[in-house]
Amino acid sequence: MNNSNVDYLGFTIRLRRKGNKLTHSTEICKNNQDKIYKVLKEQIKLVIKNPSMKNILKYNQIIVGTHNYFKYASQVCINLNKINWKLYFTINKMNKLRGQPNTKFKNFYNRKYGKYKTFSVNNIDLIPIAGINHIYAKPLNQVISFYTTEGRNLIEKRKLDLSELVQTFLNRRSKYYSLEMLNFGASLIHAQKGSCKITGLPLDDNFHLHHIIPRSKGGKDNYRNLIAINERYHNMIHWNKSVDKQDKMLKYYIEDINKYRKLAGIEEIII
């Protein structure tokens, strides 16, 4: 890089020196920030002029689309906060249309946008412009490949690791599970690439098979109704109202945990 700043696919990459190392930060490029501001301002004017469901949903779609595309920019929160402040007076003009948040989606908004205030227009909650957190983009492992000896060895090593996990599972659970359940469990290990369905982290030797729809409510012992998850998070799904909300990991996976609690007919956890 000859320059400290490079624009690429709507992002600005800034290269900085930190001690003896070079580090970088990413943000929404200036042109795109201006474009987002103008598009949102025009859409807000349309909502004020005609607060139809179509116009309000279009406003929300613009924000969700922006969040989804730029969530990997490390400075996305700062960028969107600036846009939000620039639109402050324009948004305030919608106050005459202001209604109470839609209680139907209260839990969803509390989980996703809890710290951001919102209000509804025509009984549709407006998604907060700055309601986003930066997501770390994991780099691809470029060594893994079918075309090099090293890459093929890594692929085989991964397969071997899963085989060991499958064998451990079969040995440990053969006394408790039917042959059919054991086959489903082995298949899930490979389908989930040895990862916990809740966290994405590697399955440990004591992982559990969770019934998405409990057997007590008609759930079947079949592949589609099972997921493989680590014991700690399986317990979280089945916790009762006395749930230990102090568990440090709960807040990171609360959305997925609540999804499976809801499917199991268990009350969602609010933290």
Side-chain angles (χ1 to χ4, degrees):
M1 290 185 183
N2 296 325
N3 301 318
S4 58
N5 300 341
V6 173
D7 288 348
Y8 181 69
L9 296 177
F11 295 84
T12 295
I13 305 170
R14 300 186 185 279
L15 191 64
R16 295 189 177 93
R17 184 170 293 280
K18 190 175 181 180
N20 295 325
K21 297 180 180 179
L22 290 175
T23 185
H24 74 275
S25 66
T26 51
E27 60 184 63
I28 304 172
C29 73
K30 184 66 169 61
N31 288 341
N32 274 11
Q33 289 187 47
D34 293 340
K35 184 178 179 180
I36 293 166
Y37 167 75
K38 290 175 183 176
V39 170
L40 283 173
K41 188 170 184 178
E42 288 304 312
Q43 192 59 35
I44 291 170
K45 289 179 180 178
L46 284 176
V47 171
I48 293 170
K49 185 177 180 180
N50 178 19
S52 65
M53 181 179 291
K54 179 181 177 181
N55 285 336
I56 299 166
L57 290 177
K58 180 66 181 294
Y59 171 81
N60 279 346
Q61 287 168 3
I62 294 168
I63 295 173
V64 171
T66 302
H67 288 179
N68 287 340
Y69 187 79
F70 291 107
K71 61 187 175 184
Y72 297 108
S74 58
Q75 304 296 311
V76 65
C77 300
I78 296 172
N79 299 153
L80 292 183
N81 263 304
K82 287 180 180 178
I83 293 171
N84 189 53
W85 277 111
K86 285 174 70 177
L87 289 168
Y88 178 80
F89 292 107
T90 310
I91 293 172
N92 269 355
K93 290 179 182 178
M94 289 194 289
N95 269 335
K96 62 181 180 180
L97 308 171
R98 190 185 188 105
Q100 292 299 318
N102 191 333
T103 56
K104 183 178 179 181
F105 301 105
K106 182 180 178 181
N107 288 339
F108 168 79
Y109 270 87
N110 283 343
R111 290 198 307 271
K112 197 164 181 67
Y113 306 112
K115 64 180 180 180
Y116 297 96
K117 292 183 179 179
T118 187
F119 61 92
S120 69
V121 174
N122 198 7
N123 206 34
I124 300 173
D125 289 328
L126 301 182
I127 293 175
I129 296 170
I132 186 173
N133 291 317
H134 159 63
I135 294 177
Y136 174 69
K138 296 180 181 178
L140 295 173
N141 188 336
Q142 297 182 6
V143 178
I144 295 177
S145 166
F146 287 106
Y147 306 106
T148 64
T149 302
E150 184 182 7
R152 288 192 293 273
N153 288 339
L154 284 172
I155 291 171
E156 290 303 316
K157 184 176 184 300
R158 283 191 169 189
K159 288 181 180 178
L160 180 62
D161 290 343
L162 290 183
S163 297
E164 291 175 357
L165 181 60
V166 169
Q167 193 58 52
T168 302
F169 166 73
L170 295 176
N171 292 339
R172 185 172 53 85
R173 292 293 184 180
S174 59
K175 295 179 181 178
Y176 311 103
Y177 287 162
S178 66
L179 181 60
E180 190 178 35
M181 282 284 285
L182 291 172
N183 285 334
F184 290 145
S187 298
L188 283 168
I189 290 173
H190 287 285
Q192 294 177 200
K193 299 180 180 178
S195 301
C196 172
K197 191 69 173 179
I198 296 290
T199 65
L201 299 173
L203 289 166
D204 57 40
D205 290 345
N206 294 314
F207 78 87
H208 289 187
L209 294 182
H210 168 68
H211 288 79
I212 299 172
I213 306 299
R215 283 179 289 188
S216 61
K217 297 188 177 180
K220 305 295 184 183
D221 286 340
N222 60 32
Y223 182 82
R224 291 180 178 273
N225 194 43
L226 293 168
I227 55 172
I229 52 179
N230 284 327
E231 181 180 14
R232 181 179 189 176
Y233 303 99
H234 193 208
N235 291 338
M236 288 182 184
I237 291 174
H238 291 286
W239 272 339
N240 57 24
K241 289 185 178 180
S242 62
V243 57
D244 179 12
K245 295 182 181 179
Q246 301 304 312
D247 190 303
K248 293 181 180 179
M249 301 308 294
L250 179 61
K251 63 181 180 180
Y252 296 108
Y253 307 112
I254 185 67
E255 191 169 340
D256 283 330
I257 289 167
N258 274 335
K259 179 178 77 173
Y260 289 110
R261 284 175 70 91
K262 186 176 180 180
L263 289 168
I266 305 171
E267 185 179 349
E268 294 184 16
I269 301 170
I270 304 296
I271 57 174

